[in-house]
Amino acid sequence: MVNPSQELLATANGRKFQTILADPPWRFTNRTGKMAPEHRRLSRYGTMSLPEIKALPVAEIVQEPAHLYLWVPNALLPEGIEVLRAWGFEYKSNIVWHKIRKDGGSDGRGVGFYFRNVTELVLFGVRGKNARTLAPGRRQVNLIASQKREHSRKPDELYDVIEACSRGPFLEMFARDTRKGWTGWGNQAENYEITWDTYAHHSRVTASAAE
């Protein structure tokens, strides 16, 4: 059986990272404790329980001062704070991803039990002394507005923000693709392929258009 903690340490291979981006495969449950039906997308890849995510040995692979950018669904904000603290970081701020249509309006195709979600949050945490963002961070607004792509895929614009505002080395946990200058850990990092119905504006289309 695969041990995520051992895999993470093996990927680090003794290296330490000053900036970590993480998009955990959160496990959604409804009031009965069963997996919420609106999250059928979770069958596309494995999920982890909150204790499993918190137990990952992130503290062993960071070099202070360090920054953490942690994706968390709106419904799991308290759990996101728990993970941030379990990994040894102190919450400071957040970045909001506003999912928009081609015409710039809010994309209302997201799920939500109470409201139709058109945003997702990135929690920003720090550990160690002198852990402020770099100078561009003090000019960077905490909003990214971009179109949705395939399920669970996050906006590439965030990488540019992180690289401008935080110090390397950079590690992406639960990576779904590779990026130059980053170390990626995740079961889709090297062989990410789209094998399900998705949005027309997905990453492979975007990448092909840029070539």
Side-chain angles (χ1 to χ4, degrees):
M1 181 177 293
V2 175
N3 184 310
S5 294
Q6 291 178 358
E7 276 197 346
L8 178 59
L9 293 175
T11 296
N13 194 26
R15 291 170 293 177
K16 302 285 187 177
F17 302 92
Q18 283 196 268
T19 298
I20 294 178
L21 167 63
D23 183 17
W26 302 97
R27 185 170 299 165
F28 290 82
T29 57
N30 57 25
R31 286 174 295 180
T32 66
K34 298 178 180 179
M35 186 175 291
E38 65 267 32
H39 295 288
R40 291 185 297 271
R41 66 180 178 82
L42 296 181
S43 64
R44 299 190 176 100
Y45 51 86
T47 62
M48 296 176 67
S49 67
L50 179 60
E52 289 171 336
I53 296 172
K54 291 169 63 175
L56 290 170
V58 174
E60 298 181 35
I61 59 172
V62 296
Q63 174 184 331
E64 296 182 356
H67 289 171
L68 172 65
Y69 295 81
L70 177 65
W71 282 103
V72 59
N74 293 333
L76 299 180
L77 178 56
E79 288 86 345
I81 294 292
E82 282 190 51
V83 169
L84 187 146
R85 290 173 176 166
W87 290 353
F89 288 82
E90 180 183 359
Y91 173 76
K92 290 297 183 182
S93 188
N94 62 70
I95 297 173
V96 179
W97 176 27
H98 177 206
K99 303 171 188 179
I100 60 174
R101 303 187 304 263
K102 189 175 181 180
D103 64 6
S106 295
D107 189 334
R109 290 177 291 177
V111 297
F113 188 81
Y114 296 98
F115 301 100
R116 181 66 61 174
N117 286 314
V118 297
T119 62
E120 284 191 47
L121 289 175
V122 183
L123 304 184
F124 175 73
V126 303
R127 59 179 292 164
K129 297 180 180 179
N130 302 315
R132 287 191 69 186
T133 51
L134 300 175
R138 270 89 82 182
R139 301 187 296 270
Q140 174 68 48
V141 299
N142 71 328
L143 176 70
I144 294 173
S146 67
Q147 290 179 258
K148 287 193 293 188
R149 298 185 298 177
E150 58 270 23
H151 283 294
S152 80
R153 185 81 179 192
K154 299 305 191 291
D156 284 345
E157 291 86 348
L158 181 61
Y159 292 108
D160 296 328
V161 172
I162 293 173
E163 290 168 2
C165 300
S166 300
R167 297 178 177 84
F170 300 98
L171 170 68
E172 182 174 9
M173 296 172 56
F174 309 103
R176 290 175 174 81
D177 209 343
T178 56
R179 182 175 176 85
K180 185 178 180 180
W182 286 67
T183 297
W185 172 66
N187 62 6
Q188 294 177 316
E190 297 297 333
N191 58 356
Y192 180 76
E193 294 294 339
I194 300 166
T195 57
W196 54 83
D197 292 337
T198 186
Y199 306 112
H201 181 74
H202 60 71
S203 59
R204 289 297 181 239
V205 170
T206 305
S208 299
E211 292 175 354

